[in-house]
């Protein structure tokens, strides 16, 4: 069930470094999305929102996949899959109902063009959109960075001293 013996470091090869890269990709995706979205004001369809409808959730999922890869524990993979089906997907569906009420018609068109957590097609003209530090800060995305940095430091220190 375990791919390697504890302790785990994000800098061990191959799983640690692979997991670190996946987690950082998720963190960067979350930051990109948080710096572009104007929640409940306009339907954001540019930047990462031109790739998938829920880049914040996708970023969080990638972060979880990254840290589970570092920890190399099959039970955590099972927990993540169950969490996805019983918590994440229902939450996304509920959020989509709310967004559809805020932007009727407009959201249906967007939904047809863009996948929930994956790209249906890529429009490079929509990907490039001004990013706002003020929006990023307003959405408190620094919390994801702080938690990730703390987790990486703790995992690395455990690998050195345990």
């Amino acid at each position: 069930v375990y791919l390697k013996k504890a302790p785990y470091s994000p800098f061990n090869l191959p799983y640690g470094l692979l997991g670190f890269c996946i987690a950082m990709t998720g963190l960067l995706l979350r930051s990109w999305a948080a710096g572009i979205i104007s929640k409940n004001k306009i339907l954001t369809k540019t930047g990462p929102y031109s790739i998938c409808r829920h880049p914040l959730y996708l970023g969080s999922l990638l972060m979880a996949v990254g840290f589970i890869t570092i920890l190399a524990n099959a039970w955590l993979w099972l927990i993540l899959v169950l969490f996805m089906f019983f918590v994440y997907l229902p939450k996304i569906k509920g959020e989509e109902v709310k967004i559809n009420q805020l932007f009727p018609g407009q959201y249906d068109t967007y939904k047809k063009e863009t996948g929930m957590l994956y790209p249906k097609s890529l429009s490079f003209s929509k990907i490039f959109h001004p990013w706002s530090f003020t929006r990023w800060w307003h959405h408190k995305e620094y919390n994801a960075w702080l938690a990730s940095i703390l987790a990486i430091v703790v995992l690395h220190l455990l690998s050195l001293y345990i």
Side-chain angles (χ1 to χ4, degrees):
V1 175
Y2 295 96
L3 297 175
K4 62 180 181 163
K5 188 179 175 197
Y8 315 100
S9 171
F11 306 109
N12 287 343
L13 292 173
Y15 299 109
L17 191 56
L18 175 65
F20 175 80
C21 290
I22 294 169
M24 290 302 101
T25 299
L27 190 57
L28 289 169
L29 178 59
R30 283 191 56 84
S31 289
W32 183 22
I36 290 178
I37 190 170
S38 296
K39 290 183 181 179
N40 303 328
K41 294 178 184 168
I42 62 166
L43 180 60
T44 306
K45 300 186 286 185
T46 56
Y49 294 91
S50 69
I51 300 169
C52 71
R53 294 191 306 270
H54 300 282
L56 288 165
Y57 287 117
L58 178 58
S60 295
L61 176 62
L62 287 172
M63 288 172 66
V65 166
F67 282 109
I68 291 172
T69 301
I70 292 168
L71 294 170
N73 184 309
W75 290 109
L76 293 176
W77 286 108
L78 176 64
I79 290 168
L80 179 62
V81 169
L82 292 172
F83 184 82
M84 275 295 301
F85 281 106
F86 295 109
V87 177
Y88 234 48
L89 290 177
K91 184 163 176 55
I92 289 172
K93 293 287 187 185
E95 193 170 289
E96 289 197 333
V97 169
K98 179 184 171 191
I99 297 169
N100 197 37
Q101 291 169 346
L102 287 169
F103 308 103
Q106 194 179 4
Y107 191 70
D108 286 332
T109 303
Y110 174 59
K111 223 172 149 177
K112 289 175 188 169
E113 298 168 350
T114 315
M116 182 186 291
L117 295 171
Y118 59 90
K120 283 187 177 177
S121 65
L122 291 176
S123 172
F124 290 102
S125 64
K126 292 181 179 179
I127 287 177
F128 301 103
H129 184 85
W131 185 83
S132 167
F133 178 80
T134 305
R135 282 189 190 141
W136 179 87
W137 189 265
H138 172 76
H139 295 305
K140 299 179 181 171
E141 198 57 30
Y142 51 83
N143 287 322
W145 280 90
L146 293 173
S148 295
I149 290 167
L150 179 62
I152 289 165
V153 168
V154 166
L155 287 171
H156 185 64
L157 289 175
L158 286 173
S159 75
L160 295 175
Y161 298 109
I162 292 182

